[in-house]
Amino acid sequence: MADTGTDQGSSSDLRMGSLEVRLAESAAEIDWAQALRYRVFYEEMSAVPSPDMAARHRDFDDFDTICDHLLVIDHARGDGPDSVVGTYRLIRRPAAAKAGRFYSSDEYDIGRLLSYPGEILELGRSCVDAAYRTRGSSMQLLWRGIAAYVFHHDIAVMFGCASLPGTDPVAMAEPLAYLHHFHLAPEELRPVALPERYVGMDLMPRDQIDPKRALTVLPPLIKGYLRLGGFIGDGAVIDHQFNTTDVSIVVKTDLITNKYSKHYERRSRDAQIA
């Protein structure tokens, strides 16, 4: 995996029991990730597939052939589609250049991010098999894989869209307003929802928000980004295909790279001492 970006960590950091995190290495493994995405997004979460997706039982688009796919593989489930139990899609500038855009640009003006001088990475299509969500190890491995990838490619900023279930912003007024008032991205990094899709998130005054209550409603993935110091873009977007309300996430990778670098510096010193 020397050229895939997850070789910077030791095998013990990228494996937990029968689980392993690594990048997809073949078209077949990308197909397995698409099968997991279909099960989660369309069969479980009731997104609306295209006729071609429904016929193939796969979630796919034009980005899948040009980006990197991070996989959590359970070797106890054999070698096939069922072995992929977690996935993330990773798009860097070279892949976006081939596609002519980043995926998020369908919902947000990301011009400020595109002008950022450092390397940027778009995260998307994150999902974990239902049987593995309560175990925690799958998501933990995905984050370790992302940390290795970020470290390897010297990524300065990660971004993407994260979703709240449902398409009624009023029903999500407190969590959306909480994100707007407490975690709005600095202007120089702030994505803004496209005018034709913009839904205001400032649905409650700041002083009427109970942050603890708002946090309990937020999906675990968004809370994970916030724990990393993540920011939220200006405006939400309704995605009727996926039956979600999307927000734009921006994460500066300082916390990730510092922790990751110190971790492996310590491991290297320990190995030298041993």
Side-chain angles (χ1 to χ4, degrees):
M1 295 196 300
D3 62 347
T4 60
T6 55
D7 62 310
Q8 294 295 314
S10 71
S11 59
S12 62
D13 292 300
L14 301 178
R15 293 197 68 144
M16 295 177 70
S18 64
L19 301 181
E20 176 190 13
V21 64
R22 62 172 173 80
L23 296 182
E25 297 173 345
S26 66
E29 290 184 348
I30 295 172
D31 180 77
W32 301 348
Q34 293 170 332
L36 172 63
R37 283 160 32 183
Y38 189 89
R39 292 198 305 271
V40 173
F41 298 145
Y42 298 93
E43 295 179 352
E44 182 182 342
M45 299 173 61
S46 301
V48 181
S50 69
D52 197 11
M53 288 179 183
R56 292 172 52 187
H57 284 254
R58 298 293 187 272
D59 170 63
F60 56 87
D61 62 22
D62 292 340
F63 288 92
D64 281 335
T65 58
I66 58 174
C67 67
D68 287 327
H69 298 262
L70 191 64
L71 311 178
V72 173
I73 297 171
D74 188 349
H75 294 282
R77 297 179 70 163
D79 183 19
D82 289 343
S83 67
V84 174
V85 298
T87 187
Y88 240 116
R89 190 165 73 176
L90 312 176
I91 302 176
R92 292 183 293 124
R93 289 190 198 267
K98 290 180 182 178
R101 60 187 174 87
F102 279 99
Y103 180 82
S104 298
S105 63
D106 284 351
E107 296 188 351
Y108 286 87
D109 178 348
I110 56 171
R112 291 165 179 165
L113 290 171
L114 296 178
S115 299
Y116 194 78
E119 291 294 332
I120 62 175
L121 172 67
E122 183 179 49
L123 304 175
R125 286 299 200 271
S126 169
C127 62
V128 172
D129 185 276
Y132 290 75
R133 287 175 207 155
T134 57
R135 294 165 54 174
S137 52
S138 297
M139 202 65 218
Q140 188 177 349
L141 277 175
L142 281 173
W143 278 113
R144 289 183 187 180
I146 289 171
Y149 191 91
V150 163
F151 189 79
H152 181 81
H153 291 289
D154 195 23
I155 304 296
V157 174
M158 305 187 303
F159 69 100
C161 292
S163 302
L164 289 78
T167 57
D168 181 6
V170 175
M172 296 172 274
E174 187 165 50
L176 288 174
Y178 166 77
L179 292 173
H180 174 84
H181 287 298
F182 290 86
H183 297 283
L184 190 63
E187 190 170 353
E188 66 272 15
L189 289 173
R190 189 182 306 164
V192 181
L194 297 176
E196 65 273 18
R197 306 194 68 175
Y198 186 99
V199 175
M201 297 171 63
D202 188 8
L203 300 170
M204 292 176 60
R206 182 186 176 103
D207 59 6
Q208 292 183 18
I209 297 169
D210 181 338
K212 290 185 178 180
R213 185 173 59 205
L215 275 168
T216 62
V217 179
L218 288 173
L221 185 61
I222 295 180
K223 287 189 279 193
Y225 288 131
L226 297 181
R227 282 194 292 270
L228 289 173
F231 301 109
I232 305 298
D234 180 10
V237 171
I238 304 300
D239 188 334
H240 291 285
Q241 180 189 3
F242 282 87
N243 192 35
T244 58
T245 297
D246 296 345
V247 295
S248 181
I249 303 285
V250 179
V251 180
K252 296 187 73 174
T253 63
D254 310 54
L255 290 177
I256 298 172
T257 52
N258 287 343
K259 180 178 179 181
Y260 194 79
S261 179
K262 290 176 182 176
H263 174 65
Y264 287 105
E265 285 173 4
R266 184 171 64 251
R267 289 180 65 93
S268 178
R269 288 196 303 269
D270 292 346
Q272 291 171 4
I273 292 171

